[in-house]
């Protein structure tokens, strides 16, 4: 494989003295969807959050090992965390639109990173992002209404539009559809499939069928360790590890 | 990178605003200390703390602070005699007995008592409560400790009741249920199980109330009198520490004189007393929180 | 067996009576003040100056003095208080220095207001030579209400959900951008309520301003930051202290004006809180 987009090596992560991740080693490819699966508490969300250093916000945490994006160690002291987060976007499990208008939600990332040149460019980019998130048609006539007036599924797509607006390289999604009904979930999954041409997507999910439907590669986590990482097809039909096989066939979890 | 420079400047500015509070404390201590030390350079500390006559503004000067202290204590004691049993009674009632509707409507009204400016209470004490008491106690002087003491108690009652209610509420329901299961009435459960369990929380409330009473100024300045008197008699005019400070400030005592410094010496005593009481109250409240949270 | 239940019922009645007695005292106070003061309330009263003659004495300098002092107090206490709360809540109460500052503020909240008066006298009036002026009085009150503003603002900041901050950081916002553009706007209603409550406390304060030298026989309206002044509670205090019978009525009328002011301010606080709560829910 040519240069991996994200390369983690020997990653150990601690909440205080408690070790949550043990020696994680994984290389994530560009322009594919990679799924992290595993039972609750296995560390998949924790590992996801190390990729954009969101764990920095939690006091008393520590990371050992290296995580490189495009060959550069993102935990090096000289790294500007704020620019890192511009390149690595995140969509959260429970949608968290800002208590502002739909337009302002998408525009926020553009404003704080000073991306747009003037009002017209800003509006254009907002429209582009809403279209990319398959939300434009539903909201184009009410851009200035409160974001909180949207349905759950629409709010999540808004959060995706918001993340896409600043044109990240990588989009991290932490169980993006777990709080949504099946129809909304399906729309999100279709969206993920469409987005992978332009972005590298890493998605955490506890729903194995979703991982099987949506992802190209899958990493199975168990008790803070990476048990197996391979093409999704192989993980679900011919896993190499017994633990993986037990999990994907539903023997536990 | 200018964004991070701006970030750092802003963080500095915010920090300085927070650190200002330390300067306030330092300022209080500095002001009180310098003037008190200047005062004690002329008046021996033993005479100040243990002397029984306080006449700094008369020709024949004496600087024994005890009459002000007893004045403060007498008024505060009367206030506590009203606020503590009353506040605890109301707290137990609201926490263990009252229906939610009663609680919701009457509790905010009770809080109003705490919001009335003290000068209004002073008016009430002097021109309503004292005359009312005089009908039953003919010997009661126009300025006395009883009227303002009672009014102060009423003012502090919501503080005691609110903090005690919090303490009672923090006691886990399991304790109550255990008592009920043994056949105890609500009264027995409240008095014999819940109140003892909430004891340190309630004590914290009581001590805070005492601190509040000691530091209270306007009610006593208006209604208690300006006659420092070493007595436990609540029916005669007295003067409290706080009222003395007001008295001097209303007059023309020039700055830098011994008489001027007396208000800082008395103020220092007041500050130390309330500070100590607040510390004890906080310590009790922390200990209570550790037990039940 | 039945006597235990009698005792129980008796206690419930006693508790209710205690509560009602406290409320009755409040009612007695209000009725007394209204009875004494309402007849004396008049436009003439509100627009005249104090006088040796009870009947013609008015409250104008006191009302204006209160207004000026409160505005100045707000201008000083609000920016510093909100900034301090933002620092403690968003930037670092974790450090040891942060903890010390927190404990310090909690202690300051319990210091008697008269001690703040002594601080104001020693620091503002004398050391900084501001004299017995409006600005010295306002600075003293600002220090007095600072802990209240800080505590109320912290509560408001704490009520803002963490997910809001996370969403902002994840888009590459800095801490200050997040605070300024997301957290503070969301916390604004709570902060405003806290400020209004702090100021209503300041309006009723008497002792610190007496110490700082607000005089009670001010026959003019304060015309600059450095001019002498009086405030409503001090005017009331002055009238209550006069033995002549007529002044008691003045004091009562003044109290009514003060209570109306407080009512308006607390009403504003409740209005702000309700309006923003309703907007949030929509």
């Amino acid at each position: 494989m040519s240069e991996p987009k994200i390369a983690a090596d020997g990653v150990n992560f601690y909440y205080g003295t408690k070790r949550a991740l043990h020696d994680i080693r994984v290389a994530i490819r560009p322009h594919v969807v990679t799924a992290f699966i595993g039972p609750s508490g296995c560390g998949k969300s924790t590992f996801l959050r190390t990729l954009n250093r969101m764990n920095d916000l939690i006091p008393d945490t520590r990371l050992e090992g290296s995580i490189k994006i495009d060959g550069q160690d993102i935990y090096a002291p000289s790294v500007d965390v704020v620019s890192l987060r511009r390149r690595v976007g995140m969509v959260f499990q429970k949608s968290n639109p800002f208590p502002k208008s739909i337009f302002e939600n998408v525009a926020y990332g553009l404003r704080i990173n000073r991306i747009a040149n003037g009002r017209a460019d800003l509006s254009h980019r907002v429209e582009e992002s809403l279209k990319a998130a398959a939300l434009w048609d539903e909201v184009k006539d009410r851009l200035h209404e409160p974001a909180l007036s949207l349905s759950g599924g629409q709010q999540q797509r808004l959060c995706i539009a918001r993340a896409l607006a600043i044109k990240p390289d990588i989009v991290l999604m932490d169980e993006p559809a777990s709080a949504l009904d099946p129809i909304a979930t399906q729309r999100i999954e279709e969206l993920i499939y469409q987005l992978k041409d332009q972005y590298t997507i890493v998605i955490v999910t506890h729903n194995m069928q979703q991982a099987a439907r949506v992802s190209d590669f899958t990493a199975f986590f168990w008790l803070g360790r990476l048990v197996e990482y391979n093409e999704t097809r192989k993980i679900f039909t011919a896993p190499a590890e017994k633990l993986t096989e037990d999990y994907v066939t539903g023997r536990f979890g | 990178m200018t964004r991070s420079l701006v970030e750092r400047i802003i963080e500095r500015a915010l920090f300085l605003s927070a650190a200002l509070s330390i300067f306030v404390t330092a300022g209080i201590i500095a002001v009180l200390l310098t003037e008190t030390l200047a005062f004690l350079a002329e008046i021996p500390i033993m005479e100040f703390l243990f002397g029984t006559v306080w006449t700094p503004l008369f020709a024949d000067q004496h600087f024994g602070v005890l009459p002000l202290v007893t004045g403060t204590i007498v008024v505060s004691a009367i206030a506590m005699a009203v606020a503590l049993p009353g506040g605890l009674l109301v707290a137990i009632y609201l926490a263990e007995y009252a229906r939610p509707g009663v609680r919701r409507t009457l509790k905010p009204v009770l809080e109003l008592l705490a919001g009335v400016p003290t000068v209004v209470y002073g008016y009430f004490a002097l021109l309503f409560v004292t005359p009312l008491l005089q009908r039953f106690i003919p010997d009661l002087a126009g300025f006395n400790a009883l009227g303002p003491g009672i009014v102060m108690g009423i003012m502090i009652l919501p503080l005691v009741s609110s903090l005690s209610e919090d303490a009672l509420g923090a006691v886990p329901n399991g304790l109550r249920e255990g008592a009920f299961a043994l056949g105890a009435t609500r009264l027995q459960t409240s008095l014999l199980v819940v109140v003892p369990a909430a004891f340190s929380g309630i004590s914290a409330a009581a001590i805070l109330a005492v601190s509040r009473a000691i530091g209270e100024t306007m009610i006593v300045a208006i209604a208690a009198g300006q006659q420092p008197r070493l007595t436990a008699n609540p029916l005669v005019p007295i003067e409290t520490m706080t009222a003395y400070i007001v008295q001097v400030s209303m007059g023309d005592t020039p700055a830098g004189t011994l008489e001027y410094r007396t208000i800082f010496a008395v103020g220092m005593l007041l500050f130390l007393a309330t500070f100590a009481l607040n510390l004890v109250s906080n310590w009790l409240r922390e200990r209570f929180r550790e037990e039940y949270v | 067996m039945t006597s235990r239940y009698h005792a129980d019922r008796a206690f419930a009645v006693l508790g209710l009576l205690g509560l009602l007695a406290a409320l009755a005292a409040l009612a007695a106070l209000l009725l007394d003040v209204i009875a004494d003061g309402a007849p004396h309330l008049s436009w003439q009263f509100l627009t005249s100056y104090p006088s040796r003659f009870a009947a013609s004495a008015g409250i104008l300098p006191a009302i204006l003095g209160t207004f000026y002092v409160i505005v100045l107090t707000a201008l000083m206490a609000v920016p510093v208080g909100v900034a301090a709360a933002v620092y403690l809540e968003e930037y670092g109460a974790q450090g040891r220095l942060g903890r010390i500052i927190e404990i310090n503020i909690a202690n300051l909240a319990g210091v008697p207001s008269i001690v703040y008066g002594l601080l104001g006298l020693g620091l503002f009036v004398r050391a900084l030579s501001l004299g017995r002026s409006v600005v010295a009085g306002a600075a003293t009150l600002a220090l007095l209400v600072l802990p209240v503003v800080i505590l109320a603002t912290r509560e408001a900041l704490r009520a803002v959900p963490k997910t809001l901050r996370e969403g902002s950081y994840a888009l590459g916002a800095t801490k200050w951008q997040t605070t300024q553009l997301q957290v503070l706007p969301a916390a604004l209603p709570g902060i405003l309520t806290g400020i209004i409550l702090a100021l209503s406390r300041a309006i009723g304060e008497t002792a610190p301003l007496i110490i700082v030298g607000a005089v009670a026989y001010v026959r003019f309206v304060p015309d600059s930051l450095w001019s002498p002044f009086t405030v409503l509670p001090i005017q009331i205090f002055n009238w209550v202290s006069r033995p002549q019978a007529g002044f008691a009525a003045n004091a009562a009328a003044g109290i009514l004006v003060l209570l109306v002011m407080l009512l308006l301010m607390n009403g504003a606080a409740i209005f702000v809180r309700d309006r923003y709560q309703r907007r949030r829910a929509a």
Side-chain angles (χ1 to χ4, degrees):
Chain A
M1 159 167 75
S2 57
E3 182 82 53
K5 191 71 179 169
I6 306 176
D9 195 0
V11 171
N12 290 291
F13 187 82
Y14 297 83
Y15 290 106
T17 51
K18 186 173 147 243
R19 181 142 76 145
L21 295 175
H22 299 251
D23 265 337
I24 307 285
R25 189 159 183 277
V26 68
I28 295 176
R29 296 166 193 242
H31 296 303
V32 299
V33 178
T34 306
F36 292 171
I37 62 171
S40 298
C42 65
K44 53 192 195 293
S45 285
T46 303
F47 183 60
L48 189 78
R49 289 166 63 100
T50 63
L51 301 179
N52 66 348
R53 293 184 64 170
M54 281 300 276
N55 285 328
D56 287 9
L57 298 175
I58 305 174
D60 205 20
T61 56
R62 193 164 49 96
L63 181 131
E64 288 169 9
S66 85
I67 299 183
K68 292 189 180 158
I69 295 185
D70 290 330
Q72 313 236 312
D73 183 356
I74 62 174
Y75 280 84
S78 59
V79 164
D80 177 20
V81 177
V82 161
S83 341
L84 171 70
R85 295 195 186 125
R86 219 195 110 178
R87 293 165 47 211
V88 184
M90 180 169 256
V91 175
F92 296 85
Q93 179 174 5
K94 181 131 193 334
S95 60
N96 56 354
F98 303 128
K100 296 180 192 282
S101 71
I102 295 170
F103 184 89
E104 282 304 324
N105 262 273
V106 183
Y108 182 73
L110 297 167
R111 288 191 202 279
I112 58 173
N113 288 301
R114 275 182 262 216
I115 293 180
N117 302 314
R119 180 97 208 167
D121 189 28
L122 187 71
S123 301
H124 175 71
R125 287 175 189 264
V126 169
E127 180 179 334
E128 231 179 50
S129 312
L130 287 169
K131 283 185 178 155
L135 189 60
W136 173 252
D137 287 330
E138 290 164 61
V139 300
K140 64 179 184 239
D141 296 324
R142 44 184 182 132
L143 288 177
H144 296 284
E145 282 181 22
L148 292 167
S149 65
L150 295 174
S151 74
Q154 289 172 321
Q155 285 185 15
Q156 191 63 306
R157 276 180 282 145
L158 178 65
C159 291
I160 295 176
R162 182 176 74 183
L164 296 179
I166 56 179
K167 299 262 198 304
D169 289 339
I170 301 169
V171 180
L172 307 175
M173 300 194 180
D174 192 350
E175 308 210 32
S178 66
L180 303 178
D181 63 73
I183 297 193
T185 300
Q186 188 182 23
R187 298 191 74 166
I188 302 270
E189 289 181 7
E190 278 167 11
L191 185 57
I192 293 175
Y193 190 75
Q194 287 163 6
L195 290 174
K196 75 173 174 197
D197 282 339
Q198 277 193 289
Y199 305 91
T200 300
I201 300 186
V202 182
I203 168 172
V204 162
T205 178
H206 65 262
N207 181 337
M208 284 182 288
Q209 290 80 9
Q210 180 172 83
R213 283 192 295 267
V214 136
S215 66
D216 305 300
F217 285 83
T218 297
F220 170 54
F221 288 81
W222 168 249
L223 291 182
R225 285 170 219 276
L226 176 60
V227 174
E228 191 172 343
Y229 171 61
N230 211 331
E231 289 176 40
T232 300
R233 223 178 1 100
K234 294 209 188 114
I235 292 272
F236 282 94
T237 56
E241 301 283 332
K242 173 113 185 12
L243 205 54
T244 315
E245 185 183 338
D246 286 345
Y247 181 69
V248 302
T249 54
R251 227 163 270 158
F252 63 84
Chain B
M1 199 181 295
T2 45
R3 196 153 58 154
S4 77
L5 182 62
V6 166
E7 283 293 304
R8 268 205 308 239
I9 294 178
I10 290 182
E11 186 171 345
R12 272 290 115 185
L14 294 177
F15 172 72
L16 287 176
S17 304
L20 183 71
S21 61
I22 300 198
F23 287 109
V24 174
T25 306
I28 292 177
I29 296 177
V31 166
L32 291 177
L33 200 57
T34 47
E35 299 288 352
T36 303
L37 289 177
F39 171 81
L40 291 177
E42 288 185 61
I43 307 293
I45 189 166
M46 290 315 222
E47 184 191 327
F48 174 63
L49 289 180
F50 297 106
T52 58
V53 183
W54 180 260
T55 56
L57 304 173
F58 292 177
D60 178 24
Q61 291 182 319
H62 291 275
F63 294 90
V65 84
L66 280 188
L68 294 183
V69 172
T70 55
T72 304
I73 291 180
V74 170
V75 175
S76 303
I78 297 173
M80 289 300 105
V82 170
L84 290 183
L88 193 54
L89 178 66
V90 170
I92 296 177
Y93 174 72
L94 286 176
E96 311 284 323
Y97 283 85
R99 281 190 304 267
V102 168
R103 206 164 168 275
R104 233 192 351 245
T105 44
L106 290 187
K107 195 162 164 201
V109 183
L110 189 66
E111 298 299 322
L112 282 180
L113 275 176
V116 174
T118 54
V119 71
V120 178
Y121 276 118
Y123 173 94
F124 188 55
L126 182 70
L127 296 178
F128 183 87
V129 174
T130 292
L132 182 64
L133 290 173
Q134 278 171 332
R135 284 209 240 151
F136 303 101
I137 311 174
D139 290 339
L140 188 65
F143 295 110
N144 57 78
L146 188 60
I150 293 177
V151 172
M152 202 190 284
I154 297 174
M155 178 183 80
I156 295 181
L157 192 147
L159 177 71
V160 176
S161 103
S162 166
L163 289 178
S164 300
E165 206 192 322
D166 288 345
L168 292 171
V171 173
N173 255 336
L175 282 175
R176 292 182 184 81
E177 288 165 2
F180 289 142
L182 290 170
T185 63
R186 248 189 317 193
L187 179 64
Q188 290 171 319
T189 307
S190 306
L191 292 184
L192 301 175
V193 175
V194 184
V195 167
F199 186 68
S200 33
I202 295 179
S203 313
I207 294 181
L208 205 62
V210 174
S211 167
R212 197 57 219 286
I214 289 181
E216 170 46 45
T217 309
M218 293 320 291
I219 303 181
V220 285
I222 292 176
Q226 288 183 351
Q227 299 184 23
R229 186 178 298 194
L230 193 67
T231 177
N233 182 356
L235 305 178
V236 297
I238 46 101
E239 189 170 44
T240 65
M241 295 192 280
T242 50
Y244 172 73
I245 298 176
V246 168
Q247 179 194 6
V248 172
S249 302
M250 301 274 305
D252 327 293
T253 310
T257 60
L258 186 62
E259 296 76 17
Y260 169 80
R261 297 205 168 102
T262 56
I263 63 175
F264 291 92
V266 173
M268 176 62 115
L269 203 56
L270 190 66
F271 175 69
L272 290 175
T274 53
F275 189 72
L277 287 171
N278 290 343
L279 274 184
V280 173
S281 172
N282 282 335
W283 175 74
L284 279 173
R285 194 141 31 124
E286 277 308 307
R287 231 188 50 172
F288 179 66
R289 217 172 294 173
E290 275 159 37
E291 283 174 45
Y292 287 117
V293 177
Chain C
M1 170 72 157
T2 47
S3 70
R4 279 200 302 165
Y5 289 99
H6 284 320
D8 196 43
R9 292 274 299 286
F11 187 84
V13 172
L14 196 61
L16 186 59
L17 281 182
L19 183 56
L20 293 177
L23 298 180
L26 179 64
L29 184 149
L30 289 175
L31 289 175
D32 181 43
V33 167
I34 292 176
D36 290 347
H40 199 77
L41 263 186
S42 68
W43 188 247
Q44 187 250 343
F45 176 71
L46 292 173
T47 54
S48 315
Y49 293 84
S51 140
R52 280 181 298 127
F53 302 106
S56 55
I59 212 168
L60 183 65
I63 293 183
L64 288 176
T66 295
F67 178 71
Y68 291 140
V69 168
I70 292 301
V71 167
L72 265 183
T73 301
L75 287 176
M76 291 189 225
V78 170
V80 174
V82 172
V86 167
Y87 179 79
L88 289 172
E89 204 55 39
E90 308 286 321
Y91 282 78
Q94 298 111 345
R96 216 173 36 144
L97 192 52
R99 277 294 297 156
I100 293 179
I101 294 179
E102 275 187 343
I103 296 178
N104 184 47
I105 291 174
N107 280 332
L108 282 177
V111 170
S113 57
I114 196 171
V115 173
Y116 280 98
L118 291 173
L119 170 65
L121 178 61
L123 179 63
F124 297 127
V125 175
R126 302 209 43 75
L128 295 181
S129 300
L130 297 174
R132 305 175 146 221
S133 59
V134 177
V135 89
T140 306
L141 282 188
L143 292 185
L144 178 67
V145 300
L146 199 59
V148 179
V149 175
I150 293 178
L151 290 172
T153 305
R154 286 193 77 175
E155 287 276 324
L157 292 172
R158 236 174 266 165
V160 174
K162 242 174 33 154
T163 53
L164 196 65
R165 294 177 180 83
E166 281 194 331
S168 177
Y169 287 128
L171 289 167
T174 62
K175 188 166 260 191
W176 175 242
Q177 280 175 325
T178 302
T179 305
Q180 179 198 5
L181 299 170
Q182 295 293 353
V183 180
L184 280 176
L188 197 58
I191 296 178
L192 278 180
T193 310
I195 292 174
I196 294 177
L197 291 178
L199 293 181
S200 31
R201 164 108 188 259
I203 280 188
E205 284 293 341
T206 322
L209 292 179
I210 294 180
I211 315 291
V212 161
V215 290
Y217 197 70
V218 168
R219 300 213 77 236
F220 52 87
V221 167
D223 57 356
S224 85
L225 288 178
W226 277 266
S227 94
F229 69 107
T230 189
V231 292
L232 204 43
I234 291 184
Q235 188 63 70
I236 294 169
F237 172 60
N238 176 264
W239 280 332
V240 165
S241 313
R242 304 261 195 105
Q244 296 92 345
F247 285 107
N250 288 2
I255 289 176
L256 284 177
V257 173
L258 183 62
L259 290 179
V260 165
M261 270 191 199
L262 284 173
L263 206 63
L264 288 175
M265 290 190 81
N266 280 293
I270 295 178
F271 173 72
V272 165
R273 194 178 50 203
D274 279 354
R275 183 159 158 254
Y276 277 94
Q277 258 177 11
R278 232 174 299 128
R279 218 207 260 168
R280 185 74 50 81

